[in-house]
Amino acid sequence: MTTQRFDPLPERDRQTVSAQVINGFLAGDAVWSIAKAAKMSSWETMNLLSRRIAERGEEERSKALQHRCSVAAEVLYQNEERIWQLLDAGIEGKDIPKVLAALGVSLDVEIATDLLRSPDIFMDIHAAVEVVVLPLPTDIFSLLYVVGHGRGLEPDYKLALGKVPMPGIDELRRVLVRRSSEAQVAEIVAMVETTAQAIRTGDVSGISYSDYADTVTVLAQDSGDAELRSWLVSASSLRNGLGGGFWSKALEAAGLKLPSTAARFTCADYEGASDAFFTAYRDFGSPKDVANYDSWVTAEAAAGRDRPSLIAIRRYFGAWESVIGAVMPSEVEDEFTGWWNRSRKRPSWSMGGRVRANSSVTL
C-alpha cells in the first residue's frame, strides 16, 4: 500500500502564503511575526526563505529594516520616561510596545517589541538616538582615502590637480597643517580624488565596517606616517556622524554602497555574531528558535551594529545547530542537538524536505 504524504494546504494556498512570507521578510517584518501569520514554525519559515531569498532580497530587507528601526527608536526615545515607569511597574520590555500603542502612541509595535527585549541593547539604542554627531568635512575624505588604500589604488596627482579646489579641502588642510607636509597633503588629496573617480566609473563598490576599521588600524600603525594617519576618522565615528547610526548611510554619503553579503562579513564577523547572540539570547528566548536570532539582529541594527541576517549566517555555517554549537556549553549543546535532530525528521510544510546549505535562490 502506498503511503500518501500529508499536505496541509492546496497548491494555490501554499503559493499565496509563500508570497506573503517573502513579501513580509523583504519589508523588514520580524520572522516570529511572519511565521505566526503564516501558521508555520520559525524553522519552516527560515527553510522557505533560504530557498527564495538571494543577495538582492537581503539588501532590500536590510534597507527596510534600517528605516523601521530608525523610526521606532526615535519614538521610543521620545517616550523614554514612560517606558522606564512601565519597566519599574514590572511590565516586561517586549510587552511595553503594546501598552504604548494602547495609550495612543503611534508606534511600529513589531519592531519596537524586538528593540525592547534586551535592557543592554535598549540602552545602546537610546545612546545612539540621543547623541547626534554632526558630520565633519573630513569624514568623507577619510572614508574615500581608506577605501582607496583598501582597494590598492594608486593616487593620480594629475587628476587631483585638475579637481582642486575641492569642497572641504581647506578644512582638510587646516586639520593637517600642523602635522603633515605639503607632499603628504597632496598624497591624501590625490588618493581621495582617485577613489572618487573610481566610484564615478563604477570600479569601487564599497567597504565593510570591519574592513574599514582594519585598514585604519594598519595605516595608523605605519611607523613612517603615524602623524599623517592620525587625522583618519574611526569607523564608529563615521557610522554615528556621517551615517546617522548606520554604516550603509555613511557609505551612501560618499557615493558608495555596502558590498555583497559575502564580502561584507568576514569569518570573524560570523563567528562574532554567533558568540554575541549566545551571550544575549536569554533576553530574546531560546536559541533553538531561529526567530530569536532574527529579533536580536533587529535590535543590533537599531544600535548601529551590522550583523549577518538569519539567512546569511545559516548559509555560512551550513546548519542552524552549527551557528551556536561552537560557543554553547557541552551539556546544552547535547540537548540542543537532540532537539534539532527530532525537528528535522518532521516533514517541511512547503519544501518537502531539508534544505541544503547551498540551495538555489530566486530573489
Side-chain angles (χ1 to χ4, degrees), residues 18-348:
S18 177
Q20 291 174 345
V21 168
I22 293 168
N23 290 336
F25 184 81
L26 296 179
D29 293 349
V31 168
W32 60 263
S33 175
I34 295 172
K36 181 179 179 181
K39 297 181 180 180
M40 299 166 60
S41 71
S42 55
W43 187 83
E44 289 169 333
T45 303
M46 178 186 68
N47 222 5
L48 186 152
L49 292 170
S50 295
R51 292 276 302 264
R52 299 295 302 276
I53 300 295
E55 181 67 39
R56 181 162 51 89
E58 287 207 63
E59 182 179 346
E60 182 176 340
R61 175 180 171 79
S62 178
K63 290 181 178 179
L65 193 59
Q66 285 182 11
H67 174 71
R68 292 176 65 175
C69 283
S70 180
V71 174
E74 181 62 35
V75 175
L76 294 179
Y77 177 69
Q78 294 170 357
N79 290 272
E80 180 178 9
E81 183 176 353
R82 184 180 289 178
I83 290 172
W84 286 117
Q85 291 173 346
L86 293 172
L87 287 171
D88 290 339
I91 299 176
E92 291 189 46
K94 63 183 180 63
D95 296 325
I96 287 179
K98 295 178 182 178
V99 177
L100 293 177
L103 294 173
V105 177
S106 179
L107 178 67
D108 188 334
V109 173
E110 183 177 300
I111 295 297
T113 296
D114 285 343
L115 303 194
L116 290 176
R117 289 182 189 274
S118 168
D120 292 337
I121 297 180
F122 174 53
M123 293 300 294
D124 287 347
I125 293 169
H126 277 270
V129 174
E130 184 176 13
V131 179
V132 179
V133 182
L134 296 177
L136 299 173
T138 52
D139 285 356
I140 290 182
F141 286 103
S142 178
L143 181 53
L144 294 178
Y145 184 78
V146 172
V147 168
H149 271 279
R151 296 291 182 267
L153 300 180
E154 289 294 329
D156 188 332
Y157 291 90
K158 291 184 178 179
L159 174 66
L161 182 63
K163 292 289 184 179
V164 175
M166 299 166 58
I169 194 64
D170 289 338
E171 176 65 23
L172 179 62
R173 286 197 178 101
R174 280 194 291 271
V175 170
L176 298 173
V177 68
R178 289 189 296 272
R179 66 186 72 172
S180 307
S181 67
E182 292 181 357
Q184 289 172 326
V185 174
E187 188 267 342
I188 294 173
V189 174
M191 177 60 81
V192 167
E193 187 51 47
T194 300
T195 305
Q197 178 65 20
I199 294 171
R200 288 191 289 270
T201 59
D203 293 335
V204 176
S205 60
I207 190 171
S208 69
Y209 180 91
S210 56
D211 280 348
Y212 177 91
D214 290 345
T215 304
V216 168
T217 299
V218 170
L219 292 173
Q221 291 175 345
D222 188 325
S223 58
D225 291 317
E227 291 185 357
L228 169 65
R229 311 308 182 194
S230 64
W231 72 276
L232 294 173
V233 182
S234 69
S236 59
S237 294
L238 275 181
R239 181 181 63 193
N240 294 333
L242 193 62
F246 296 101
W247 183 246
S248 61
K249 291 182 180 179
L251 294 178
E252 290 173 2
L256 296 161
K257 62 181 181 180
L258 282 174
S260 65
T261 300
R264 189 158 100 230
F265 300 112
T266 65
C267 294
D269 290 328
Y270 284 105
E271 292 164 4
S274 171
D275 185 47
F277 170 60
F278 185 72
T279 300
Y281 82 86
R282 290 173 180 82
D283 291 325
F284 292 87
S286 171
K288 299 173 185 178
D289 190 342
V290 296
N292 293 331
Y293 175 84
D294 179 72
S295 294
W296 174 74
V297 169
T298 298
E300 287 284 284
R305 292 184 286 269
D306 193 18
R307 299 289 193 178
S309 72
L310 169 65
I311 296 173
I313 199 169
R314 191 276 187 102
R315 285 176 181 157
Y316 174 82
F317 282 99
W320 186 251
E321 68 267 36
S322 299
V323 172
I324 54 178
V327 296
M328 182 179 288
S330 58
E331 64 273 13
V332 181
E333 183 177 3
D334 291 341
E335 187 265 340
F336 175 71
T337 302
W339 170 88
W340 178 263
N341 289 334
R342 290 192 298 274
S343 70
R344 289 197 298 186
K345 293 178 181 178
R346 296 179 301 172
S348 174

